[in-house]
Amino acid sequence: MKLEDIKNIYFVGIGGIGMSALATYFKTSGKNVAGYDKVSTDITQALSEIGILIHFEDAIDNIPLEFKNKLNTLIIYTPAIPKNHIELNYFFEANFNVLKRSEILGEITKNTFCMAVAGTHGKTTTSTILGHIVHEAGLKATSFLGGISENYNSNLIIGGDEISVVEADEFDRSFLRLSPNIACITSMDADHLDIYGEASELEKSFKEFASKVSDILIIKKGLPLKGITYGINEDADFDARNLRIVNGTYIFDVKTPTEYITDIKIQLPGKHNVLNTVAALAMANSYGVSLPVIAKALLTFKGVKRRFSYKINTKNLVLIDDYAHHPTEINAVCDAVKEMYPNKKNIGIFQPHLFSRTRDFVEDFAEALSQFDYLILLDIYPARELPIKGVTSEWLLSKVKNRNKQISSKENLYKNLKMLNPEVVVMIGAGDIGEMVSEIKNKLLNEN
């Protein structure tokens, strides 16, 4: 199969964050693109606006006629699609060219200089910072991101076909399909145990990914890998030093293997974002982008949607939206909130994501969530899973060592929140809680 010979590309699960970036890429490359997704979202609406046909009922009759010609049609699907999906099984049984998202991304990275960011946490922000840096540096690069960049209002930054910046996803071992020239690994904490079974298997997968890197591997200092290291005050090869916060802005210096640059500024809260920034800086600098150019690009970086995104930011009321869905990520959010608002009451609203993840990390979730001054817990978002007996939000809540806690339905969320006289509210989770943020924002603004 040669991509240049393909006329039609059909996506099963087109609204996924990684899938939609590929759909946009192929549409802007002149391909005929259509697809299916379960529900309409802001992402699917944006795809429709650029001329991509999308439907939301799984039925063979809904597939446009031209996409039933298997000679010039490629099918791309996400592993999140259930095995009994009618359309996907139709394409398999009719012997279409059917590839996973990771396989087609692998094809793209084979033909470009690939800069890949992997890790159980931090990869979306790091790859988005890196994509912004190489774009501002004028490099001929296209970035495929796992989040919506605030700068470009997109998960795709189009800039040329010499370099590809990609978020290397460990889910389903997808990142092993890539051909990275320069890569970064931000973290290797246990996650996706529904796929890997044991944390040791996840670690083995990261080591296999590291072995595929042809030129330079950059790693968070302390990981059990060999590579160029980065960190904060850790005497790493790329080391952030002299951190301070001035008017809500992080300012710090960076020592590289050959240089020292002072007063780098970022508008992102939390030390975890300093680490993400240093990782992106290390990758860009290792490619050849100068430190002054990197520092200038960082001044204009606005962040990633649903990564500590301010929805309300006034003197008396703050609403923050974040994708955190793992205990380590929740800890990072809590640290940033306490750092930014040490004297204000914070309220965490969390929607657990996946029954298996809740079960596997229940004690760690309980410990992380106990840090909020007040916790509101929503029901578990099932995503691709069926319920697991005994694994419920009530069970998780019982383990949270904080008396200020409650379960809420989505319907009663605003009423329950309002009764707490909110000052700083953090809405976190990887499910459909992100769709609820605008409603909560509007109600808070209208009543304050």
Side-chain angles (χ1 to χ4, degrees), residues 30-44:
K31 304 293 186 185
N32 192 19
V33 179
Y36 156 89
D37 210 282
K38 192 174 182 180
V39 293
S40 174
T41 63
D42 290 344
I43 289 176
T44 58

Side-chain angles (χ1 to χ4, degrees), residues 222-399:
L223 292 181
L225 297 165
K226 289 184 179 179
I228 294 171
T229 59
Y230 72 94
I232 300 175
N233 293 321
E234 295 179 85
D235 197 28
D237 296 312
F238 286 84
D239 204 42
R241 299 176 177 181
N242 192 23
L243 270 69
R244 59 262 191 218
I245 300 173
V246 180
N247 298 324
T249 297
Y250 257 114
I251 304 175
F252 55 95
D253 307 337
V254 176
K255 177 196 77 70
T256 80
T258 58
E259 298 176 80
Y260 195 99
I261 185 169
T262 60
D263 298 338
I264 285 180
K265 297 176 183 177
I266 60 169
Q267 302 295 331
L268 307 178
K271 287 185 179 177
H272 62 292
N273 279 322
V274 174
L275 276 172
N276 294 334
T277 302
V278 176
L281 177 150
M283 293 184 75
N285 190 235
S286 295
Y287 181 78
V289 183
S290 72
L291 293 178
V293 168
I294 294 171
K296 184 179 179 182
L298 291 173
L299 290 173
T300 58
F301 182 72
K302 297 177 182 178
V304 185
K305 288 185 178 178
R306 301 220 64 223
R307 302 305 193 278
F308 214 92
S309 298
Y310 283 100
K311 298 302 175 181
I312 302 173
N313 190 5
T314 65
K315 183 179 179 182
N316 298 319
L317 182 62
V318 173
L319 175 62
I320 296 163
D321 178 25
D322 198 280
Y323 187 71
H325 56 283
H326 184 282
T328 301
E329 295 162 353
I330 295 171
N331 285 329
V333 169
C334 287
D335 288 346
V337 167
K338 290 177 180 178
E339 188 176 63
M340 302 300 289
Y341 307 102
N343 302 314
K344 292 191 174 185
K345 178 179 72 174
N346 61 69
I347 301 168
I349 302 172
F350 178 53
Q351 181 189 51
H353 184 261
L354 296 177
F355 295 102
S356 60
R357 183 182 281 124
T358 305
R359 176 199 63 200
D360 293 339
F361 302 106
V362 66
E363 301 296 342
D364 293 333
F365 272 124
E367 185 177 347
L369 294 167
S370 296
Q371 297 175 83
F372 286 111
D373 295 334
Y374 203 105
L375 173 67
I376 299 176
L377 208 55
L378 301 175
D379 285 336
I380 297 171
Y381 185 78
R384 55 188 178 269
E385 292 185 335
L386 295 173
I388 297 173
K389 186 176 180 181
V391 179
T392 63
S393 286
E394 287 80 5
W395 175 58
L396 170 57
L397 193 75
S398 72
K399 294 178 175 289

